[in-house]
């Protein structure tokens, strides 16, 4: 076999669907974890500087955000390992399908592992749907603040006394208690918050993190379809192997009967 034929054979065994899903999963998790981590830190800075000057008012929120940042580290590490495992499983099942009629033998353990990955990926997909919905909450909050600032900047309200009556009360979202001071910002002070780098970066990073969570959901759905298809192929392969084993055994028995018949015939003659 020449070098070109060898390369073609190797490329034919690459699970391209699993490879695409792995790249999409890594990209989505990286965007969600990286952007989410920085955006949470920026959110804490905005709250401390403008909406809650007393440290005790947002102490619980700071602890929760710090815990979420540690959870992000764990999510990134887990999905890096899990994506590599699913890619390796894709290589295994692709080899099983490519050599379905050859000497390749699927085992009950291999089929059980494939079924376990199907179940685990389904559970992770449902969990990431919740993560995707949860990641849209800060986007909604920042969008409301940004839209309020746009109303303040509009020509109809700019330069009038009604500007100072346009406020955003962050306490209504439940992230800080109602006794937090000042808790809300109005008019030009609110507009200054929207013009800060912390607000601008956090808002857009939360959007990117939400998009990353959505990409991860798509990747897990893609993985689920691939794993289900590969598991069905392995199940068919096991049935084909059982059929071939029975057929080979029957042919061997037939050959044994024929050989014994010939021996008996020769003995009579």
């Amino acid at each position: 076999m020449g070098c070109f034929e060898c390369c073609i054979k190797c490329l034919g065994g690459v699970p391209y669907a699993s490879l695409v899903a792995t790249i999409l999963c890594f990209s989505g998790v990286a965007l969600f974890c990286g952007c989410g981590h920085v955006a949470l830190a920026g959110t804490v800075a905005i709250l401390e500087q403008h909406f809650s000057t007393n440290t005790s008012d947002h102490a619980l929120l700071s602890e929760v955000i710090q815990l979420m940042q540690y959870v992000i580290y764990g999510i990134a590490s887990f999905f890096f390992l899990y994506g590599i495992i699913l890619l390796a499983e894709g290589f295994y099942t692709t080899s099983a399908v490519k050599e379905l009629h050859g000497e390749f033998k699927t085992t009950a353990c291999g089929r059980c592992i494939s079924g376990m990955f199907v179940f685990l990926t389904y559970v992770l997909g449902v969990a990431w749907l919740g993560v995707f919905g949860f990641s849209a909450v800060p986007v909604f909050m920042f969008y409301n603040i940004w839209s309020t600032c746009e109303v303040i900047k509009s020509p109809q309200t700019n330069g009038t006394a009604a500007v100072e009556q346009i406020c955003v009360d962050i306490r209504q979202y439940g992230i800080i208690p109602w006794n937090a001071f000042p808790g809300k910002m109005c008019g030009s002070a609110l507009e200054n918050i929207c013009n800060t780098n912390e607000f601008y970066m956090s808002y857009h990073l939360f959007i990117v993190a939400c998009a990353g969570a959505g990409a991860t959901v798509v990747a897990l759905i893609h993985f689920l379809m691939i794993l289900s298809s590969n598991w069905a192929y392995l199940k068919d392969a096991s049935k084909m192997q059982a059929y071939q084993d029975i057929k080979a055994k029957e042919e061997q028995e037939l050959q044994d009967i024929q050989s014994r018949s010939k021996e008996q015939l020769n003995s009579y003659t």
Side-chain angles (χ1 to χ4, degrees):
M1 183 181 295
C3 181
F4 179 76
E5 290 80 5
C6 183
C7 292
I8 294 298
K9 184 178 180 180
C10 292
L11 292 176
V14 175
Y16 293 101
S18 297
L19 185 61
V20 172
T22 303
I23 295 174
L24 183 61
C25 182
F26 283 171
S27 301
V29 172
L31 289 176
F32 173 78
C33 294
C35 296
H37 185 274
V38 179
L40 288 174
T43 302
V44 173
I46 293 173
L47 289 175
E48 291 178 348
Q49 295 175 7
H50 304 285
F51 291 98
S52 180
T53 56
N54 190 359
T55 306
S56 60
D57 292 337
H58 59 269
L60 179 60
L61 178 63
S62 299
E63 293 179 359
V64 171
I65 290 179
Q66 186 177 9
L67 178 62
M68 292 175 63
Q69 289 176 333
Y70 285 117
V71 170
I72 285 176
Y73 296 147
I75 290 174
S77 302
F78 171 78
F79 271 90
F80 177 75
L81 179 61
Y82 189 67
I84 293 177
I85 292 175
L86 289 184
L87 183 61
E89 200 271 344
F91 275 101
Y92 164 75
T93 51
T94 300
S95 299
V97 173
K98 293 292 184 181
E99 302 180 19
L100 180 61
H101 301 286
E103 298 179 356
F104 190 93
K105 299 294 183 181
T106 60
T107 62
C109 181
R111 296 191 297 273
C112 181
I113 292 175
S114 296
M116 181 191 68
F117 281 136
V118 172
F119 174 75
L120 183 59
T121 304
Y122 175 80
V123 173
L124 291 175
V126 174
W128 268 95
L129 283 174
V131 173
F132 176 66
F134 180 77
S135 63
V137 174
V139 176
F140 172 74
M141 294 169 52
F142 273 82
Y143 174 77
N144 284 341
I145 299 175
W146 174 81
S147 60
T148 304
C149 292
E150 291 299 315
V151 173
I152 295 175
K153 295 178 183 179
S154 63
Q156 291 79 8
T157 57
N158 193 12
T160 63
V163 171
E164 298 301 325
Q165 298 178 0
I166 301 176
C167 303
V168 169
D169 192 348
I170 204 70
R171 296 171 296 184
Q172 65 182 343
Y173 297 108
I175 58 177
I176 57 175
W178 280 103
N179 58 356
F181 181 82
K184 67 177 182 178
M185 300 297 291
C186 304
S188 58
L190 178 61
E191 184 180 358
N192 292 332
I193 294 176
C194 294
N195 292 330
T196 58
N197 292 329
E198 290 83 3
F199 180 86
Y200 180 83
M201 289 296 297
S202 298
Y203 179 34
H204 289 84
L205 286 175
F206 272 126
I207 293 176
V208 177
C210 184
T216 306
V217 172
V218 174
L220 290 174
I221 294 174
H222 195 181
F223 267 130
L224 185 61
M225 293 188 295
I226 295 168
L227 293 171
S228 301
S229 176
N230 290 337
W231 183 81
Y233 280 129
L234 290 178
K235 186 178 180 181
D236 292 338
S238 64
K239 293 181 179 179
M240 180 65 68
Q241 290 172 8
Y243 170 76
Q244 290 177 352
D245 292 340
I246 295 173
K247 184 179 179 181
K249 184 178 180 181
E250 291 178 349
E251 291 178 352
Q252 184 65 35
E253 291 177 354
L254 181 60
Q255 291 178 0
D256 293 340
I257 293 173
Q258 290 176 353
S259 61
R260 287 196 299 267
S261 299
K262 290 181 179 179
E263 291 177 358
Q264 291 177 359
L265 182 61
N266 294 330
S267 64
Y268 287 141
T269 56

